[in-house]
Amino acid sequence: MAAFGSLFMPEMAISWFDGDSWSETEIVASDSIQLHPGAHVLHYASTCFEGLKAFRHQDGSVKLFRMDRNLARFAQSSALLALPEVNVAATEKMILDIVGRFASEVPEPPGSMYVRPTHFGTEAAIGKAAAPSTTSCQYVLLSPVGDYFAGGDKALRLLVDDNGMRCAPHNGMIKSGGNYASALQPIMKARTEFNADQVLFAPDGFVQETGAANFLLIDGDEIITKALDESFLHGVTRDSILTIARDLGMTVSERELSVDELLERAAKPGCEAALSGTAAVLAPVGTLIYQGKDVKVGNGGVGETTVKLRSTLNDIQWGKAEDTRGWLTSI
Ligand SMILES: *Cc1c(COP(=O)(O)O)cnc(C)c1O
């Protein structure tokens, strides 16, 4: 199977904003956008995206998971980047149209169709370093993905970084390209120097998130994770897992977690940690690396509660458990 996100459907849905209104959605070849080299996005990073999944159920139907949340975040990211306003109903229709067109290509679980709406400033205006693009483009690209855990469910190693930050704090809740570019150097350094998989950013000594996933500490019946604020990305998976955990009778504590408390709790037997995001749902964290030393989380392996929460969410996504909260949309 190709690497996650490197295989694409041959067509996508696209619409352009001309400064006045959005064009009718077109279905075009996936490699067919044409941009002026002076386009605002290429210089001033006026771009945001979303990531959601469509799942094939046993009866052959195809369902999108919590699309309303992703649409709302897409509109919010666009607004915070001063991009033209997206018409949520129109973007929703683009998603339904293109997923419907490729419904027969949606992989069986544990695979899925990853859906990538993207919005960026197109105005050819390199003088606009401090002004928004008046024109833009949005498209919805599809990428069939296989089992995220095909290589085995390996517990991740996270470097705890209480020095740097992932992105500028006021940009944290925007799903925007520049934030990932900004986190790349610390992540690459952590890989080469500490054989870490990811960096857990903890600016000022308080746990935030990694480069592309939210962080959850699971201590017995309690889940501790940072409360929502503008400094980090509000994951749909985070919200889904916390909802499921509450329903299972767990205590959910959305609050600040200092690095000191994290390390102290993590070292206790039975403690677990996980990263949440659409790609993996929940990926277990086995080791925290802090000031050059490895600290095992619990027994350092794949946590039981992590696996249970993940499979409870997967069951809803895959149609093996009832969707009591209206999280699925049929196409
Ligand atoms: C996308 C993303 C997440 C996870 O969000 P989901 O909606 O759960 O996929 C977390 N952190 C960052 C920085 C992200 O880009």
Side-chain angles (χ1 to χ4, degrees), residues 73 166 175 180 209 211-214 233 235-238 276-278:
R73 196 169 65 189
R166 181 178 78 91
K175 212 164 170 75
Y180 304 86
E209 65 169 330
N214 296 131
L233 209 283
V236 177
T237 316
R238 170 191 180 281
S276 75
T278 294

Side-chain angles (χ1 to χ4, degrees), residues 19 36 38 126 161 249 299 322-323:
H36 191 284
I126 58 174
D161 178 352
N299 64 9
E322 206 189 333
D323 171 29

Side-chain angles (χ1 to χ4, degrees), residues 13 39 44 50 54 61 82 102-103 106 112 129 136 142-143 146 174 188 191 219 226 269 273 278 283 302 305:
Y44 308 123
E50 271 307 322
S61 65
F102 290 101
V106 175
S112 61
S136 68
L142 301 181
S143 175
I174 313 176
M188 291 197 308
R191 287 198 180 125
D219 189 354
K226 183 171 169 59
T278 294
V302 175
T305 307

Side-chain angles (χ1 to χ4, degrees), residues 47-50 69-81 166-177 179-180 208-211 214 226-236 238:
T47 176
C48 60
F49 65 91
E50 271 307 322
R69 285 296 187 117
N70 293 90
L71 284 167
R73 196 169 65 189
F74 194 53
Q76 178 178 269
S77 291
S78 298
L80 291 170
L81 289 166
R166 181 178 78 91
C167 64
H170 67 285
N171 272 354
M173 64 196 270
I174 313 176
K175 212 164 170 75
S176 181
N179 288 348
Y180 304 86
Q208 192 185 61
E209 65 169 330
T210 64
N214 296 131
K226 183 171 169 59
L228 299 180
D229 67 21
E230 68 174 15
S231 72
F232 77 111
L233 209 283
H234 304 176
V236 177
R238 170 191 180 281

